Amino acid sequence: AAERDVADKQRSAFINRTLDIEQTLKHQLDLLDSTLYGAASLFAASDTVTRAAWRSYTQGLQLNTFHGMIRALGYSEHVAAQAKSAHVQKARLEGLASYTIWPEGERNEYVPVRHIEYFIETKGNTAYGFDMLSEPRRREAILMARDTGKTAVTKSLAPAIDPAKRDSVVLMYRPVYQAGALASASERRAAIRGYVHLGINLSRLFDTALRENKSDIRIVVYDGADVANAERLYDSAPSHAAGGAAPLVQVSQFEIGDKIWALRFEALPQLHAAADRDKPRIVLVAGLLVSLLLFVITWFLTNARANATALADRMTAALREQEAFSRSVVDTAVDAIIVIDEHASIQSFNQAAERIFGYAAAEVMGKNVRMLMPSPDREQHDGYVARYLATGEKRIIGIGRE
């Protein structure tokens, strides 16, 4: 019975730790994707983002708090072949005197790095002008992001500014389009402006997720659901070779952008040793368990309620943080952004709208948006909104809107 109790305890501890690692990893990647989405919104809201504005924006994100897992956050512009010379000249006039698109060669289109901020030591090297489409793994993810309108993730890469370095890196891409309704892949291709991208150091990402579990649990991450055939992205204990009895193993799948990663967890000998040391204690307390059962049940019920309350508090705080971040993007946009409800009542009125229309937000909140329009649209706008709600046709003021 004692042996069985030890084995059950060991398995329970192993499963709980793997679930904790997965939740930590998901939380980290959700934050990174939110960072990418916010940066894409910045470029979508403005036709021109200067290097100084980009630097100020990225510094405000405080990405250096991510324990080195973020290498860089950048923006690459889509450039047609006929616009290449003009693109290079514009970059040089804006302060990048030696800017050029590399590697050299004539291609139908380019996606050169236009803005980038690093959060690692680069020794003076930068990726300005590097054509992301020139490298097959980057190209595959870029085209996926362009055609789907969603975040896409590369396979493992060598860093562009130091290809000899063996750090395993992946890039997350988020597309930025010209304004307009985009219902198909062909429409997205025609409207593409560029891509926001974020470089992730996989070792730092998974080491941070493992934390104090690194000595007890091995995690191997594969780029694909089939661990037998997928490329290995990360191994927390590559020198470990399991021997003797089969260790505790747990395999799960994890979605990141357009990809599925397989995570294989394996209990290391230290976890087995810790459980073996508990055998005498388990035998000693076995006789007390029956009398303590009612207390344990009561404690678990109380603790579950406390955990649920704490989780609700954390989720509320995270939601408020995301709302504040979205509000900061809207408030700093150079274009007027106005949000209305189904009754055409104004719900949001950013700072640019205040400057353009001459009203303070407090003056217009809750009022019908037609107050901002000249005749005859002022008198007809409620009808436009009613038609949209009835048909779904986006023809506000006679022009299709996204």
Side-chain angles (χ1 to χ4, degrees):
E3 292 286 346
R4 185 171 62 251
D5 288 342
V6 170
D8 290 344
K9 180 180 178 180
Q10 186 178 21
R11 174 166 291 280
S12 177
F14 174 71
I15 292 175
N16 287 336
R17 292 191 188 187
T18 61
L19 291 175
D20 179 62
I21 293 167
E22 285 189 52
Q23 288 298 317
T24 301
L25 185 60
K26 183 179 186 306
H27 176 68
Q28 290 171 342
L29 290 171
D30 284 346
L31 288 176
L32 295 178
D33 196 36
S34 295
T35 300
L36 203 63
Y37 185 87
S41 299
L42 174 68
F43 283 93
S46 176
D47 290 335
T48 302
V49 177
T50 65
R51 289 174 60 206
W54 178 244
R55 181 174 296 109
S56 176
Y57 174 81
T58 55
Q59 288 175 348
L61 296 177
Q62 298 183 336
L63 298 182
N64 56 340
T65 61
F66 278 80
H67 308 291
M69 71 179 68
I70 298 179
R71 291 179 58 86
L73 179 63
Y75 174 74
S76 292
E77 185 176 337
H78 178 265
V79 180
Q82 62 271 24
K84 178 181 177 182
S85 297
H87 169 84
V88 171
Q89 183 178 10
K90 181 180 178 182
R92 291 177 178 177
L93 289 174
E94 292 178 358
L96 296 173
S98 59
Y99 181 88
T100 187
I101 296 178
W102 58 282
E104 296 181 353
E106 297 301 321
R107 297 180 282 278
N108 292 332
E109 58 182 344
Y110 308 84
V111 179
V113 175
R114 189 66 178 82
H115 297 298
I116 192 161
E117 288 297 319
Y118 289 96
F119 304 96
I120 58 168
E121 177 59 48
T122 62
K123 298 181 180 179
N125 298 321
T126 65
Y128 283 117
F130 173 65
D131 180 15
M132 294 280 191
L133 286 180
S134 67
E135 194 280 318
R137 293 193 168 197
R138 290 174 173 86
R139 181 184 182 88
E140 180 184 10
I142 285 172
L143 298 185
M144 177 64 71
R146 179 197 66 186
D147 290 350
T148 63
K150 300 177 181 178
T151 299
V153 183
T154 68
K155 297 177 181 178
S156 63
L157 304 165
I161 60 172
D162 191 0
K165 198 169 185 179
R166 299 313 303 165
D167 286 347
S168 188
V169 176
V170 295
L171 287 175
M172 299 173 69
Y173 289 97
R174 186 89 186 181
V176 178
Y177 301 101
Q178 298 172 12
L182 304 172
S184 66
S186 60
E187 289 176 339
R188 295 187 186 99
R189 292 170 190 166
I192 191 67
R193 287 177 52 197
Y195 306 85
V196 174
H197 42 85
L198 187 149
I200 305 172
N201 184 315
L202 292 180
S203 294
R204 293 294 184 88
L205 173 68
F206 292 112
D207 285 350
T208 302
L210 277 169
R211 295 176 295 181
E212 66 274 8
N213 294 305
K214 193 169 184 179
S215 62
D216 295 339
I217 295 177
R218 177 190 186 189
I219 177 174
V220 185
V221 184
Y222 298 88
D223 186 7
D226 183 4
V227 298
N229 300 306
E231 178 181 336
R232 183 178 297 189
L233 294 175
Y234 170 84
D235 189 342
S236 65
S239 61
H240 173 72
L248 293 171
V249 173
Q250 175 82 9
V251 178
S252 61
Q253 295 183 359
F254 194 89
E255 290 188 13
I256 170 172
D258 63 320
K259 285 188 174 296
I260 293 179
W261 285 350
L263 294 92
R264 184 183 187 277
F265 298 95
E266 176 184 326
L268 293 176
Q270 290 88 332
L271 188 66
H272 294 274
D276 289 339
R277 288 193 299 268
D278 287 337
K279 287 181 181 179
R281 190 188 312 167
I282 292 174
V283 174
L284 178 64
V285 302
L288 301 175
L289 290 179
V290 174
S291 61
L292 293 175
L293 181 60
L294 181 60
F295 168 77
V296 171
I297 292 174
T298 304
W299 183 86
F300 269 114
L301 290 174
T302 303
N303 193 55
R305 180 175 181 180
N307 287 341
T309 302
L311 177 60
D313 290 341
R314 290 196 299 272
M315 292 176 66
T316 301
L319 179 60
R320 288 174 178 169
E321 181 180 348
Q322 184 61 37
E323 288 175 347
F325 178 78
S326 299
R327 168 55 59 186
S328 69
V329 172
V330 171
D331 284 344
T332 55
V334 297
D335 296 326
I337 300 177
I338 302 169
V339 179
I340 64 173
D341 62 13
E342 67 272 18
H343 304 296
S345 297
I346 296 174
Q347 303 298 308
S348 177
F349 199 76
N350 74 342
Q351 295 175 5
E354 291 181 326
R355 292 193 302 270
I356 292 171
F357 291 100
Y359 290 100
E363 297 180 81
V364 300
M365 295 297 289
K367 296 183 179 180
N368 196 297
V369 73
R370 65 171 178 257
M371 67 179 288
L372 305 176
M373 304 173 189
S375 294
D377 291 319
R378 178 185 299 128
E379 292 76 19
Q380 298 177 7
H381 188 261
D382 286 348
Y384 298 157
V385 174
R387 182 174 64 211
Y388 168 72
L389 292 174
T391 67
E393 182 184 1
K394 301 176 181 179
R395 301 290 296 173
I396 307 301
I397 315 184
I399 302 174
R401 301 282 176 171
E402 184 178 3

